[in-house]
Amino acid sequence: MTLWCPDWPLTAVGIPADAPAAVLVDGAVLACSASARREGVRRGIRRREAQRRCPPLRLLDRDPAQEMRAFEPVLAALASVCPEVEVVRPGLCLFAARGPARYFGGDAALAQVTAAAAGTALPDTVRVGIADGRFAAGLAAREAAIVPRGGSAAFLAPQPVSTLERPALAVLLARLGLVTLGDVAALPARQVATRFGAEGERAHQLARGLDEQRIAVRIPPPELAVQEELDPPLDQIEPLAFVAKRLADELSALLASRGLGCDRLGVQLETEHGETQHRLWRHDGTLTASAVAQRVRWQLTGWLGGSSAIRPSAGITLIRLVPGEVYRDVGEQLSLFHPGLGDDTGDGDERAATALNRLQGLLGFDAVHLPVPAGGRRPAEQARLVPWGEPRPARHRSTPPWPGRLPAPNPTLLHPGGLPAQVVDATGTSVLVDDRGAISAAPVQLSIGGGKPTRIVDWAGPWPVDERWWYDPAEHRSFARFQVVTTDGTARLLTVQQGQWRVEGTYD
Amino acid sequence: MPAPAADRFPDAREQASPHAGLLPVPEPLDELFPYGGLPRGSVVTVDSVTLALALIASPDAAGAWSGALGIPDLGLAAAQEAGIALSRFVLVPHPGEQWATAAAVLIDGLDVLLTTFPRGTGPAQARRLSARARERHTTVIALRGWPGSVDLRIQLLRGQWMGLDHGYGRLTGRRCQLVSSGRGAAARERRVTAWLPPGP
């Protein structure tokens, strides 16, 4: 049985379904509202494409903390229906329906009770689906369908292969003329395994309405759990998440040393006053350390940041991670030459990783960064800082051209906000640039921050910049740039905006 | 003038090195170093950020980890142009009071550390960090001075920027005269004329 809130990233921040809006991650649409979807906005399209299809579209950044906070009441309400609810992500959770269905008198009654319980916390947005197996139940929830027992295969047959959430495989299958899950299910299992490997085999099982069958799923012996007692108790999310990350590393090392993988994780939290919270998290693939840390962070946000009714009354003293179901990890083969594919931090450089983790413990999570190349015209915009350990965004395959970008070399020192400066001409009056980009007189002297003036030996400019008028008027920037070299041999990048000179950068 | 011994016997450079190894340095900057490379575990002071970035870029290309500590206004666009892979370039812009601790931890973890010595930190601290760098084979590049003894001091004697012409053109490069001096094998002064950022 699956409970699903459509377009959760939007619903969670209070956007009604009839307002055209979309949530973006890395410049691509993650979720959009129903009215935006009517205009042709789809998941995965780029920002510009989405704006083209639906001009009044409101674009929002993702707020995972708010998503979890808003979902917490739903989970609390579901506790009256079933004690063991597994959360896949904020907005999607599932539980075994057989027991509760017998108690409430049938699948239909259970669906009604569940929808009613969740509806008290969150009216009008919840969809409930019941089917055999997690995959079928997930699809059933989209249609709010109740699939009778044993009817999963028939229910899945007309669904398109894209529902498998394996984009590369879906494209390949579609090219081979297999457009629905029914087509895939009709193939003989052995041939599928030979042709498409382990991934194809899993997809085939899903299409037949059998859930992903892991080899030898078993409840883990208790020594696989890891925990950390906190003294003094912590009530801030960041340091707690930091502890959780370390625990997650420990757990994944423990599992890996036994060749096990885990796709269900229990996270137990306990406060100083004895309040406890236990959540089960479900993941499609193997839960990696960063995925575990992410889920602990969600849970902490939901609990600590929730309304006063659910928030605990004291700091947290215990974090415990219990792997729910473990199985022999057949593993995804990492490339031999690019270990740790996807984040460049793998590369066997444990020495650096250890030191950086330690430094983060000393100075705080936000003090240690790895830069990521980014787009922009100003020198300061061409890289962005990402805290160490955070997922690094996927890089663009090709850098967009950014016409008007300053050509190399760029200043080696940038002064955020700019240092106020004075630039005067031969007569001692301040040099101005008019609306047409013409300069009032050749600059002769530069003084920075009221300091001693130095003579300008050579200069180039003005290079007018007029940007961001296409966004908010408050963001509109219109200024002119100069490069100057002074008698001491230093080159500087200057800007002048409405008569105010600033030093943007120094070529040191 | 007879060529220096190291030039006649290129292999001798490596063998003569008292350190655990050398990090590569691009030409012609390699002539500033007695063994033709940046010695691991040494402390080098430079007075130009461009030069520092150029020195970091070559080890970085060879897979080394580098980092900048306490330099919040470092231009990352310039670092990229110098050829530094940002995915192995750690930034700790604001260590605050904990500069010395952070420097010690980074010396443990990185191959090359770029930093500036903050005010109010004394020579005792510098000695401790130099010893740690030597022990961990990490090279410390200090911008503008180091209050203890250093292995090599590279100074920018004169730099002339090219490309500007009274309103026209743009900065293209700087012709620099660099001089290095230090202790031991580096006692003899070495002078080099080079383009910074390295270019034509």
Side-chain angles (χ1 to χ4, degrees):
Chain A
M1 147 131 223
T2 297
L3 181 134
W4 179 56
C5 305
D7 308 324
W8 183 249
L10 285 160
T11 321
V13 291
I15 306 276
D18 52 0
V23 171
L24 297 172
V25 168
D26 284 342
V29 173
L30 176 81
C32 60
S33 65
S35 70
R37 203 171 300 119
R38 268 197 302 281
E39 301 286 332
V41 179
R42 290 286 176 273
R43 242 186 100 164
I45 62 174
R46 312 291 307 171
R47 170 203 289 262
R48 203 166 287 181
E49 179 66 16
Q51 280 171 323
R52 191 183 66 77
R53 291 185 188 180
C54 178
L57 190 68
R58 204 175 134 197
L59 298 171
L60 303 156
D61 283 328
R62 195 172 181 197
D63 185 356
Q66 173 58 26
E67 281 172 34
M68 193 60 218
R69 272 198 295 276
F71 200 52
E72 194 61 32
V74 180
L75 293 176
L78 282 182
S80 67
V81 180
C82 174
E84 283 232 319
V85 179
E86 296 174 10
V87 188
V88 180
R89 57 164 193 267
L92 182 66
C93 64
L94 45 87
F95 57 88
R98 189 168 298 173
R102 198 176 298 160
Y103 178 78
F104 287 107
D107 287 346
L110 172 63
Q112 218 167 19
V113 170
T114 311
T120 55
L122 204 74
D124 300 336
T125 51
V126 182
R127 287 190 211 172
V128 173
I130 297 181
D132 294 342
R134 291 190 293 272
F135 175 67
L139 290 180
R142 293 193 192 178
E143 301 172 13
I146 296 171
V147 179
R149 202 154 294 171
S152 279
F155 168 73
L156 290 173
Q159 305 278 353
V161 285
S162 58
T163 53
L164 288 168
E165 303 264 329
R166 289 176 167 79
L169 187 67
V171 169
L172 182 60
L173 290 172
R175 262 192 221 152
L176 293 171
L178 304 166
V179 286
T180 65
L181 295 183
D183 297 340
V184 179
L187 300 173
R190 184 175 298 176
Q191 264 85 329
V192 171
T194 323
R195 175 67 181 79
F196 299 107
E199 198 186 358
E201 207 179 343
R202 276 186 213 158
H204 186 244
Q205 279 166 350
L206 289 179
R208 281 190 297 162
L210 310 170
D211 254 349
E212 297 196 44
Q213 297 270 318
R214 303 288 197 181
I215 308 153
V217 174
R218 59 196 174 103
I219 303 296
E223 79 262 26
L224 282 180
V226 292
Q227 62 175 18
E228 168 110 4
E229 283 176 35
L230 305 165
D231 187 23
L234 295 173
D235 54 1
Q236 298 287 315
I237 289 167
E238 277 309 318
L240 280 166
F242 188 68
V243 173
K245 184 162 174 294
R246 208 176 59 231
L247 281 179
D249 281 331
E250 205 178 301
L251 180 66
S252 70
L254 195 65
L255 289 172
S257 69
R258 287 155 200 243
L260 297 173
C262 142
D263 60 4
R264 199 177 77 166
L265 177 84
V267 179
Q268 296 172 359
L269 304 172
E270 201 177 306
T271 69
E272 207 178 357
H273 292 176
E275 294 146 306
T276 58
Q277 197 203 36
H278 184 206
R279 283 255 174 279
L280 288 169
W281 294 93
R282 164 74 64 183
H283 190 261
D284 290 338
T286 300
L287 274 166
T288 58
S290 59
V292 170
Q294 172 78 29
R295 274 152 190 81
V296 175
R297 191 190 287 256
W298 279 346
Q299 180 170 343
L300 285 166
T301 320
W303 201 27
L304 298 180
S307 66
S308 54
I310 33 180
R311 206 179 330 148
S313 61
I316 289 182
T317 52
L318 179 82
I319 301 183
R320 189 174 156 83
L321 305 182
V322 190
E325 283 168 11
V326 298
Y327 53 87
R328 234 179 62 223
D329 190 6
V330 285
E332 266 122 84
Q333 182 77 47
L334 289 179
S335 158
L336 184 59
F337 300 103
H338 300 284
L341 197 72
D343 56 7
D344 290 343
T345 58
D347 224 28
D349 283 62
E350 281 183 27
R351 182 180 149 196
T354 316
L356 297 183
N357 283 335
R358 228 175 99 209
L359 197 57
Q360 231 169 14
L362 279 169
L363 300 178
F365 182 73
D366 267 346
V368 185
H369 305 275
L370 279 183
V372 178
R377 288 182 179 80
R378 290 193 310 158
E381 283 170 346
Q382 291 173 23
R384 206 154 50 78
L385 298 185
V386 175
W388 162 258
E390 286 280 289
R392 293 161 61 76
R395 235 167 300 158
H396 292 298
R397 211 164 291 155
S398 63
T399 320
W402 296 111
R405 204 182 226 199
L406 208 63
N410 268 290
T412 49
L413 292 176
L414 296 172
H415 313 295
L419 310 173
Q422 293 275 325
V423 174
V424 294
D425 60 14
T427 63
T429 46
S430 188
V431 177
L432 294 172
V433 175
D434 67 17
D435 288 345
R436 296 186 170 198
I439 190 166
S440 64
V444 168
Q445 258 185 359
L446 165 73
S447 70
I448 300 165
K452 212 171 102 240
T454 45
R455 208 167 59 76
I456 292 173
V457 183
D458 215 336
W459 56 282
W463 304 324
V465 179
D466 191 3
E467 62 173 356
R468 291 193 174 256
W469 44 264
W470 50 86
Y471 291 131
D472 205 332
E475 280 193 58
H476 181 194
R477 292 189 305 224
S478 168
F479 57 93
R481 272 209 185 92
F482 284 83
Q483 283 177 331
V484 301
V485 177
T486 46
T487 37
D488 54 3
T490 314
R492 291 193 173 84
L493 183 66
L494 305 183
T495 62
V496 55
Q497 185 169 16
Q498 289 163 354
Q500 175 60 57
W501 287 83
R502 286 176 193 283
V503 182
E504 188 180 1
T506 308
Y507 298 84
D508 187 37
Chain B
M1 197 178 98
D7 285 348
R8 273 184 281 141
F9 307 105
D11 291 345
R13 292 180 173 186
E14 200 92 16
Q15 287 162 12
S17 163
H19 295 281
L22 294 175
L23 296 169
V25 170
E27 285 181 21
L29 298 176
D30 58 343
E31 288 170 28
L32 290 168
F33 297 89
Y35 304 107
L38 196 56
R40 282 182 180 270
S42 62
V43 177
V44 178
T45 64
V46 299
D47 54 4
S48 153
V49 181
T50 317
L51 176 61
L53 292 176
L55 291 181
I56 293 174
S58 294
D60 186 88
W65 279 76
S66 49
L69 170 67
I71 312 175
D73 42 4
L74 185 69
L76 292 170
Q80 268 174 289
E81 282 163 11
I84 294 175
L86 295 188
S87 56
R88 285 191 308 273
F89 189 60
V90 184
L91 290 181
V92 185
H94 301 287
E97 298 287 303
Q98 309 231 47
W99 178 86
T101 324
V105 175
L106 285 174
I107 284 173
D108 283 357
L110 304 179
D111 298 286
V112 184
L113 174 65
L114 172 67
T115 188
T116 55
F117 218 90
R119 276 188 214 105
T121 323
Q125 205 56 269
R127 252 197 317 280
R128 218 167 297 148
L129 289 174
S130 303
R132 196 174 187 120
R134 201 157 41 242
E135 188 191 329
R136 309 278 172 176
H137 306 309
T138 297
T139 304
V140 176
I141 300 179
L143 276 177
R144 300 186 184 86
W146 182 259
S149 66
V150 297
D151 297 281
L152 196 68
R153 179 177 290 108
I154 307 180
Q155 281 170 294
L156 181 81
L157 283 189
R158 203 172 308 125
Q160 195 183 2
W161 277 99
M162 304 289 182
L164 299 190
D165 185 16
H166 295 89
Y168 299 96
R170 61 178 177 85
L171 291 176
T172 50
R174 179 166 45 157
R175 196 77 182 140
C176 294
Q177 262 190 40
L178 300 164
V179 59
S180 76
S181 61
R183 56 182 184 195
R188 182 171 70 83
E189 245 185 33
R190 288 151 205 275
R191 280 166 190 269
V192 161
T193 310
W195 285 97
L196 281 180

